[in-house]
Amino acid sequence: MTPDLQAEKAEVRQYFETTGFERWNRIYSDSEEVNKVQRNIRIGHQKTVDEVLDWLQEQGNLEARSFCDAGCGVGSLSIPLAGLGAASVDASDLSAAMVAEASRRAEAAGIPKERLRLGVSDLESLAGRYDTVICLDVFIHYPQEAAEAMVRHLAGMAERHLIVSFAPFTPLLALLKQIGQLFPGPSRTTRAYTLREAGIVAAAAEAGFTPVRRSLNQAPFYYSRLIDFERRDG
Ligand code: SAH
């Protein structure tokens, strides 16, 4: 990782320990204290989470599968996934504040600790082998090349499925962003990167994965491509 990216990651961590935590903890909740933009982001993000849960349930056999939720935030995916009976979920996030909140929510939801293990970690430090690795709406903090490297890293940890979501680069969004009309991203205080889908798919292919399902989840101020990759090299 270049010094620039290191510095940026330190900023992202600092943000999600403080103001970003306040903001995103509210967005990813049912609190009434959200503005219209935040409410829309909440709706869009929930579509992504619900879709992943649907896909996983359709694939079935949750009781026998192990999951890694990389950059888990406050546990929006991991908690319901563990609640649905997933054998084991390892969830981690760069921000200790987000992980503490995830832990509080998991306890409130009555999730057994042995089924959902929470830890503070950045994506780069993750290791291990899982049936399925999932990384939702984290790549907004990664420029193209770093995101592609991360896709290869996460794919190396996945035995069967890799599910990722990211804000796709589109010429229209780029234009809107330029003229400051719309900023598809978690905050105005951290940089937000949109990614070229072809590069993400190529990175997964290099790691032996092929896309088997795709969707685009949208709400005003939320725009997220979701892809389920499957290992094709046995
Ligand atoms: N995946 C969760 C959270 C998305 S918000 C969900 O969909 O609900 C983005 C999260 O990514 C934040 O919690 C932030 O702390 C985390 N994050 C950002 N950069 C990260 C990194 N390099 N490693 C791990 N987590 C990171």
Side-chain angles (χ1 to χ4, degrees), residues 70-158:
C72 65
V74 293
S76 307
L77 175 79
S78 278
I79 293 169
L81 181 55
L84 285 169
S88 86
V89 182
D90 277 359
S92 57
D93 196 279
L94 181 66
S95 155
M98 297 294 264
V99 172
E101 174 63 15
S103 175
R104 195 192 61 73
R105 292 186 184 197
E107 198 170 329
I111 304 294
K113 284 207 166 65
E114 62 278 10
R115 200 172 276 181
L116 172 56
R117 284 179 301 268
L118 285 155
V120 179
S121 171
D122 64 3
L123 300 185
E124 282 72 16
S125 314
L126 292 177
R129 287 289 273 183
Y130 298 89
D131 176 87
T132 300
V133 176
I134 304 168
C135 185
L136 302 183
D137 293 359
V138 180
F139 287 158
I140 192 89
H141 305 293
Y142 282 69
Q144 187 75 36
E145 269 184 39
E148 290 177 15
M150 185 47 63
V151 164
R152 290 190 293 269
H153 175 64
L154 295 175
M157 296 167 51

Side-chain angles (χ1 to χ4, degrees), residues 186-223:
S187 111
R188 280 171 212 87
T189 64
T190 57
R191 286 189 67 178
Y193 295 99
T194 57
L195 301 177
R196 290 173 195 269
E197 187 168 343
I200 297 298
V201 171
E206 277 176 54
F209 280 77
T210 190
V212 288
R213 211 158 173 181
R214 273 180 233 235
S215 73
L216 187 62
N217 291 297
Q218 294 183 66
F221 303 99
Y222 183 89
Y223 192 68

